[in-house]
Amino acid sequence: MVSQLKYTLTAAFMVMKAMYVLSQPIPADSLAGKRVFTNLQSALESPSEAFRLDLSKQKLEEIPPELFALENLQELILNRNKLKTIPPEISQLTNLQSLQIQHNELEVIPQELLSLNHLTRLDLADNLIERIPEEINKLNALQTLALWDNPISYYPGTLSELPELKVLDLLHNDISADTQNTLKSLLPGVKLIMSPPCACNDGGE
């Protein structure tokens, strides 16, 4: 009886341990070797294996709510759709390391996205974003921030409080010489990718 109980408890512990490991971010080199799901239904049928999901070019007008049940998801690509918003449920993907939503119609970086503590890459290029939020500094793990081809008119000083930031891509954004100089002084150790300064207000206004 005692041995059986011990075996049952050990088995339960191993299951819990396996679930715990699956719920944690994995190293980037290991993540690169994982399968990329390109069909949401397939990912939902194998949630413990759905670390990477690419739903690019699927004419999505919203992020499917079922997607947020994929708690192990660590790379999400939604490029070239018709997305106008990122819903609050994005905060449920707590282990997300890379989020790419290029070539959509986003206007705002939502506060809920800023709670993703493991996010190292955020790519929102070619959208309609006008402001980088003050709270961008909450993304403590962020290494690459790509916002090229956006009509951004406000760059907060809190960008300098991103401890891991290595690359800030603002190519093809209308940025005045004064703002470019400010960004260079704020981020001396960051690779800044910018077009030549424009003789205009930031954001092209």
Side-chain angles (χ1 to χ4, degrees):
M1 174 72 77
V2 174
S3 60
Q4 179 63 34
L5 177 61
K6 183 177 180 181
Y7 173 81
T8 301
L9 290 173
T10 301
F13 174 78
M14 293 303 293
V15 170
M16 290 177 65
K17 183 177 180 181
M19 291 175 64
Y20 176 79
V21 171
L22 284 172
S23 70
Q24 301 302 303
I26 61 178
D29 54 349
S30 298
L31 181 61
K34 297 293 185 181
R35 172 186 174 185
V36 179
F37 286 83
T38 56
N39 180 280
L40 179 56
Q41 187 57 42
S42 296
L44 291 170
E45 291 172 359
S46 304
S48 64
E49 300 173 14
F51 293 96
R52 306 173 71 194
L53 178 63
D54 186 348
L55 299 181
S56 297
K57 300 180 181 179
Q58 298 197 16
K59 300 181 180 180
L60 298 175
E61 296 185 359
E62 63 177 18
I63 300 177
E66 300 89 345
L67 183 152
F68 300 113
L70 299 172
E71 297 180 355
N72 290 330
L73 199 61
Q74 300 186 30
E75 179 180 3
L76 176 59
I77 305 174
L78 296 165
N79 296 337
R80 297 186 181 279
N81 282 293
K82 299 180 179 180
L83 301 173
K84 294 184 177 180
T85 60
I86 300 174
E89 288 79 9
I90 192 71
S91 63
Q92 295 176 23
L93 303 179
T94 55
N95 294 315
L96 205 61
Q97 298 187 55
S98 178
L99 176 61
Q100 300 176 54
I101 315 183
Q102 289 187 7
H103 308 289
N104 279 273
E105 301 171 23
L106 303 176
E107 297 182 0
V108 175
I109 300 175
Q111 291 294 316
E112 290 82 5
L113 189 154
L114 304 178
S115 68
L116 299 177
N117 296 326
H118 299 291
L119 201 65
T120 62
R121 179 182 183 186
L122 177 59
D123 188 342
L124 303 178
D126 193 13
N127 277 283
L128 302 172
I129 296 167
E130 296 184 358
R131 293 175 60 90
I132 299 175
E134 292 281 352
E135 298 82 1
I136 193 71
N137 59 347
K138 291 181 179 180
L139 297 176
N140 291 323
L142 195 64
Q143 298 178 17
T144 299
L145 177 57
L147 291 168
W148 52 266
D149 209 355
N150 274 283
I152 298 172
S153 59
Y154 180 69
Y155 299 88
T158 49
L159 283 167
S160 66
E161 300 171 16
L162 292 168
E164 302 298 326
L165 189 65
K166 295 178 174 62
V167 178
L168 176 57
D169 191 345
L170 303 172
L171 193 68
H172 303 312
N173 292 1
D174 290 327
I175 310 176
S176 68
D178 286 345
T179 299
Q180 289 200 5
N181 289 332
T182 298
L183 288 170
K184 289 174 184 177
S185 63
L186 277 174
L187 304 165
V190 174
K191 181 180 179 181
L192 289 170
I193 303 173
M194 300 183 288
S195 299
C198 66
C200 61
N201 294 324
D202 297 331
E205 298 178 354

